[in-house]
């Protein structure tokens, strides 16, 4: 009897050791971010060799595009050029990309990935799903597959992939990242690098913040002064807001329409939709410097702002203003095929309207109660125009003020309350609260970190975010489309600083919006992140390394 009592604890300990070893093996060999819905490891490995072929199930442009993307990725890393064919070779190993109508039912972005020692096969209903399967496949390969200079990789390096079965699909339809290029301007090459990272993390929206008080960044041919004048500011604040110090250097830049189309196509090739933002009615100092007649004080010496914050410059609600904005948006629509056009709507002080005879006449003419309803009238006018062109508006949660435009989608940034209110009214919502997904906030001790705008959002806090509030009913929850990370660039002068602030927090967010909520586990994510840091390093991404190596003590404040 005593012998049995001794054996039982030993058996339990043995089982725990084996289970732990299996878990560690899975984490070490399948370090995919965002985590797939299901992963099942088997024995053996697939080895990529010069004779491995890429085979597609049908010779369609979309399918060949995904295959060529994979072939180029493999060639860039290891000089193994892969011809794409529609015929399997019986003697060689192969990577098969197959469109199958019954694959991943109900999930156009879903895929299945099967790896055996002889073959890798990715199946999906759409090329979009196959593309995400390719992203997971690349993360199954050694991190060195991301190396930008293959000459540093030994000639005898083994490109092995663990035998595995993966079934995967996203939790939310909207998985986004934002970038403000108005406070600081970033070249096209950096935007492409940024978009590549979104694709790697299975994000599908790039919110491009193009206009602001500090600069107008998109060429509008009918109004050339928007970029000739509004695209530049006389100086830039040095240090924190209120420092009173300025560099005295003229700063600016803009994207030509040709460059905008180039970015849109580059993103589309990675199944990412670019959502442009044209701010209105506030955050309009740069535009008003170019065309002061659009303001409520046409004699005022409007200037693109040289510091950060909220300013009283605002478009006046005149017919001339609406004609201007409709003409601008017509050119924007021609450049961006996105269903959504972001119209801002945030931080619009009403002082200029309160003091404007013309604005007050519009309030009286339209039977509006106050300036908040005037903002709603302004937004509704723009919505009607965009709807007439087959587009939808999306705006920050201030567009709720004075009554929400009928078909508007809300980005809830001032906490989650605006998103809850909009969902309860039957409007679609993208959650972007400052508390968890503002990636311009400090991510570690501000005393030792580069200058940031303020706030404090650690990696684990971003990872802990739940986009669907538990106060919503099941029906109301359907209006939560997903979430987005916001990168405001007041204190980001270079692409390297953007990378440092965005990653790895954007990787954490990718898992929040893709992976099942019940699978989210901080310790498991941290383990997979260690391999992911290597990938980012090989991609020359200046990711913040606070969570590299030993796990820090949890801090969610």
């Amino acid at each position: 009897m005593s012998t049995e009592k001794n054996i039982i604890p030993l058996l339990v300990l043995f089982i725990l050791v084996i289970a732990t070893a299996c878990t560690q093996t899975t984490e070490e060999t399948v370090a995919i971010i965002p985590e797939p819905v299901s992963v099942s490891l088997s024995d053996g490995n697939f080895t990529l060799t010069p004779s491995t072929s890429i085979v597609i199930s049908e010779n369609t442009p979309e399918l060949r595009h995904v295959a060529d993307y994979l072939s180029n990725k493999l060639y860039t890393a290891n000089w193994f050029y892969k011809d794409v064919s529609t015929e399997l070779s019986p003697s060689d190993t192969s990577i098969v990309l197959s469109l199958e109508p019954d694959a991943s039912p109900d999930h156009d972005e879903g895929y299945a990935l099967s790896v055996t020692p002889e073959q890798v096969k990715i199946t999906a209903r759409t090329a979009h799903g196959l593309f995400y399967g390719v992203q997971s496949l690349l993360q199954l390969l050694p991190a060195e597959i991301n190396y930008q200079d293959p000459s540093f990789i030994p000639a005898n390096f083994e490109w092995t992939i663990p035998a595995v079965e993966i079934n995967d699909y996203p939790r939310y339809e909207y998985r986004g990242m934002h970038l403000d290029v108005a406070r600081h301007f970033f070249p096209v090459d950096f935007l492409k690098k940024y978009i590549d990272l979104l694709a790697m993390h299975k994000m599908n929206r790039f919110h491009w913040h193009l206009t602001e008080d500090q600069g107008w960044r998109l060429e509008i041919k009918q109004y050339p002064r928007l970029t000739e004048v509004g695209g530049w500011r006389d100086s830039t604040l040095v240090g924190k807001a209120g420092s009173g110090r300025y560099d005295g250097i003229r700063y600016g830049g803009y994207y030509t329409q040709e460059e905008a189309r180039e970015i849109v196509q580059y993103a589309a090739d990675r199944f990412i939709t670019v959502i442009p933002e044209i701010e209105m009615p506030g955050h309009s100092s740069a535009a008003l410097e170019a065309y002061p007649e659009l303001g409520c004080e046409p004699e005022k010496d409007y200037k693109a702002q040289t510091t950060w914050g909220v300013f009283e410059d605002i478009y006046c609600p005149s017919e001339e203003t609406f004609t201007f904005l409709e003409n601008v948006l017509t050119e924007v629509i021609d450049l961006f095929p996105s269903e959504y056009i972001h119209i801002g709507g945030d931080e619009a002080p009403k002082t200029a309207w309160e003091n404007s005879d013309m604005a007050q006449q519009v309030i009286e003419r339209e039977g509006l109660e106050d300036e908040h309803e005037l903002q709603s009238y302004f937004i509704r006018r723009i919505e009607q125009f965009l709807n007439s062109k087959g587009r939808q508006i999306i705006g920050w949660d201030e567009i709720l003020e004075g009554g929400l435009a009928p078909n508007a989608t809300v980005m809830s940034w001032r906490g989650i309350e605006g998103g809850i209110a909009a969902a309860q009214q039957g409007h679609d919502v993208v959650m972007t609260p400052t508390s968890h997904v503002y990636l311009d906030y400090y991510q570690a001790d501000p005393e030792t970190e580069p200058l940031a705008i303020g706030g404090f959002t650690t990696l684990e806090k971003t990872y802990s975010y739940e986009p669907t509030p538990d106060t919503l009913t099941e029906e109301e929850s359907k209006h939560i489309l997903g979430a987005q990370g916001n990168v405001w660039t007041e204190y980001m002068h270079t692409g390297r600083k953007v990378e440092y602030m965005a990653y790895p927090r954007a990787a954490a967010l990718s898992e929040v919006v893709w992976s099942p909520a019940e699978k989210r586990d901080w310790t498991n994510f941290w383990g997979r992140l260690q391999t992911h840091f290597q990938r980012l390093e090989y991609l020359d991404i200046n990711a913040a390394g606070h969570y590299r190596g030993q796990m820090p003590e949890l801090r969610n404040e």
Side-chain angles (χ1 to χ4, degrees):
M1 199 70 171
S2 61
T3 303
E4 291 177 358
K5 288 181 179 178
N6 290 334
I7 290 174
I8 290 173
L10 288 172
L11 286 173
V12 172
L13 179 61
F14 177 74
I15 291 169
L16 286 173
V17 169
I18 294 298
T20 302
C22 290
T23 301
Q24 289 173 342
T25 300
T26 301
E27 290 175 0
E28 290 170 3
T29 56
V30 184
I32 296 174
I33 295 177
E35 185 177 13
V37 172
S38 69
V39 177
S40 178
L41 277 170
S42 302
D43 293 332
N45 296 287
F46 176 92
T47 301
L48 184 69
T49 69
S51 62
T52 301
S53 59
I54 296 177
V55 180
I56 54 178
S57 61
E58 52 191 271
N59 195 14
T60 63
E62 272 198 316
L63 189 47
R64 181 165 284 277
H65 166 71
V66 176
D68 288 341
Y69 174 91
L70 174 59
S71 180
N72 289 334
K73 282 286 186 181
L74 299 179
Y75 180 75
T76 299
N78 56 35
W79 296 342
F80 291 171
Y81 181 76
K82 302 297 177 194
D83 284 322
V84 177
S85 70
T86 56
E87 299 293 332
L88 274 171
S89 170
S91 59
D92 297 329
T93 58
S94 57
I95 300 173
V96 179
L97 307 177
S98 180
L99 284 175
E100 299 182 8
D102 297 330
S104 192
D106 303 322
H107 295 286
D108 285 344
E109 296 177 294
Y111 66 91
L113 171 58
S114 174
V115 181
T116 68
E118 295 78 29
Q119 185 183 87
V120 173
K121 186 173 184 180
I122 304 173
T123 58
R125 291 174 57 191
T126 66
H128 198 162
L130 288 177
F131 182 79
Y132 289 145
V134 166
Q135 297 304 321
S136 290
L137 173 61
L138 292 170
Q139 291 195 34
L140 288 172
L141 283 157
E144 285 81 358
I145 199 72
N146 299 288
Y147 218 125
Q148 299 299 288
D149 188 349
S151 63
F152 285 94
I153 300 174
N156 59 350
F157 190 89
E158 287 202 350
W159 299 97
T160 59
I161 304 169
V164 68
E165 297 286 335
I166 294 175
N167 284 286
D168 201 13
Y169 51 84
R171 181 184 177 198
Y172 290 102
E173 66 175 89
Y174 188 110
R175 306 179 302 280
M177 281 289 290
H178 154 286
L179 183 63
D180 165 21
V181 299
R183 271 57 174 253
H184 283 100
F185 179 77
F186 302 95
V188 167
D189 284 349
F190 175 74
L191 296 184
K192 290 180 177 180
K193 188 179 183 184
Y194 194 80
I195 288 168
D196 280 335
L197 282 171
L198 303 194
M200 178 185 187
H201 293 91
K202 302 184 176 75
M203 296 288 209
N204 62 2
R205 300 292 196 285
F206 171 42
H207 175 177
W208 199 4
H209 186 83
L210 287 161
T211 72
E212 195 46 80
D213 288 303
Q214 293 79 16
W216 183 289
R217 304 287 175 231
L218 179 66
E219 177 189 23
I220 301 297
K221 293 186 181 297
Q222 190 168 345
Y223 300 101
R225 285 176 59 83
L226 285 172
T227 47
E228 291 171 0
V229 176
W232 301 85
R233 59 177 179 259
D234 295 335
S235 187
T236 301
L237 178 76
V238 176
K240 286 188 174 295
S243 71
R245 294 185 295 124
Y246 296 85
D247 62 13
I249 300 171
R250 187 170 183 260
Y251 181 90
Y254 66 91
Y255 304 97
T256 65
Q257 293 198 359
E258 182 179 355
E259 288 172 326
R261 287 192 173 93
E262 183 181 350
I263 290 298
V264 167
Q265 186 59 54
Y266 191 86
D269 287 344
R270 287 147 184 80
F271 297 90
I272 293 169
T273 299
V274 180
I275 298 175
E277 180 176 1
I278 305 297
E279 276 273 12
M280 63 186 79
H283 287 293
S284 53
S285 298
L288 293 178
E289 180 183 5
Y291 296 97
E293 63 271 21
L294 303 176
C296 288
E297 304 170 78
E299 303 305 317
K300 181 178 177 179
D301 186 21
Y302 293 103
K303 291 290 185 183
Q305 300 294 337
T306 58
T307 185
W308 324 122
V310 179
F311 305 93
E312 292 187 357
D313 297 341
I314 190 170
Y315 290 117
C316 226
S318 65
E319 291 307 308
E320 185 177 8
T321 292
F322 287 115
T323 297
F324 164 81
L325 290 173
E326 289 175 5
N327 290 338
V328 167
L329 291 172
T330 296
E331 293 195 32
V332 170
I333 288 169
D334 184 57
L335 294 170
F336 297 91
S338 166
E339 173 191 5
Y340 285 123
I341 303 295
H342 203 299
I343 50 80
D346 64 313
E347 298 177 330
K350 307 300 189 293
T351 303
W353 286 355
E354 292 169 357
N355 297 327
S356 165
D357 291 340
M358 194 276 296
Q360 294 303 312
Q361 289 170 12
V362 175
I363 290 175
E364 183 177 356
R365 184 192 75 206
E366 299 297 328
L368 306 175
E369 184 174 331
D370 54 21
E371 288 75 22
H372 293 291
E373 285 198 4
L374 179 56
Q375 172 156 329
S376 179
Y377 165 79
F378 194 109
I379 299 300
R380 287 171 189 263
R381 286 272 308 252
I382 297 301
E383 181 188 48
Q384 289 169 2
F385 173 76
L386 287 172
N387 288 169
S388 74
K389 302 295 183 180
R391 305 302 179 91
Q392 301 292 325
I393 69 165
I394 187 169
W396 304 110
D397 54 55
E398 285 96 330
I399 66 173
L400 288 162
E401 295 173 2
L404 190 56
N407 302 310
T409 295
V410 170
M411 274 192 173
S412 185
W413 73 278
R414 298 178 299 177
I416 63 174
E417 290 75 17
I420 291 172
Q424 289 173 339
Q425 295 174 33
H427 290 273
D428 288 341
V429 177
V430 176
M431 302 299 277
T432 77
T434 57
S435 58
H436 291 77
V437 296
Y438 264 50
L439 306 185
D440 55 334
Y441 281 16
Y442 284 107
Q443 57 191 310
D445 185 355
E447 294 298 319
T448 59
E449 285 293 284
L451 181 63
I453 198 164
F456 186 73
T457 301
T458 61
L459 175 66
E460 65 267 29
K461 187 171 185 180
T462 297
Y463 189 75
S464 73
Y465 181 55
E466 172 49 49
T468 303
D470 57 13
T471 55
L472 296 178
T473 66
E474 183 178 351
E475 191 62 29
E476 290 166 348
S477 295
K478 294 177 182 177
H479 289 290
I480 306 298
L481 302 182
Q484 174 178 285
N486 290 342
V487 181
W488 302 100
T489 62
E490 286 93 335
Y491 296 99
M492 301 184 205
H493 305 74
T494 66
R496 301 296 281 175
K497 180 71 175 289
V498 169
E499 292 166 5
Y500 181 87
M501 298 300 289
Y503 287 89
R505 288 185 290 184
L509 178 62
S510 78
E511 193 148 303
V512 168
V513 291
W514 178 279
S515 307
E518 61 273 14
K519 290 199 71 173
R520 206 179 318 155
D521 179 274
W522 164 251
T523 303
N524 179 280
F525 172 76
W526 175 85
R528 285 178 285 116
L529 187 62
Q530 302 314 300
T531 299
H532 209 61
F533 271 122
Q534 295 177 41
R535 297 182 187 121
L536 296 175
E537 181 179 342
Y538 290 140
L539 287 168
D540 192 31
I541 303 301
N542 185 38
H546 307 101
Y547 292 81
R548 193 166 189 170
Q550 184 174 356
M551 186 190 299
E553 181 181 350
L554 294 182
R555 292 181 63 191
N556 283 326
E557 67 267 27

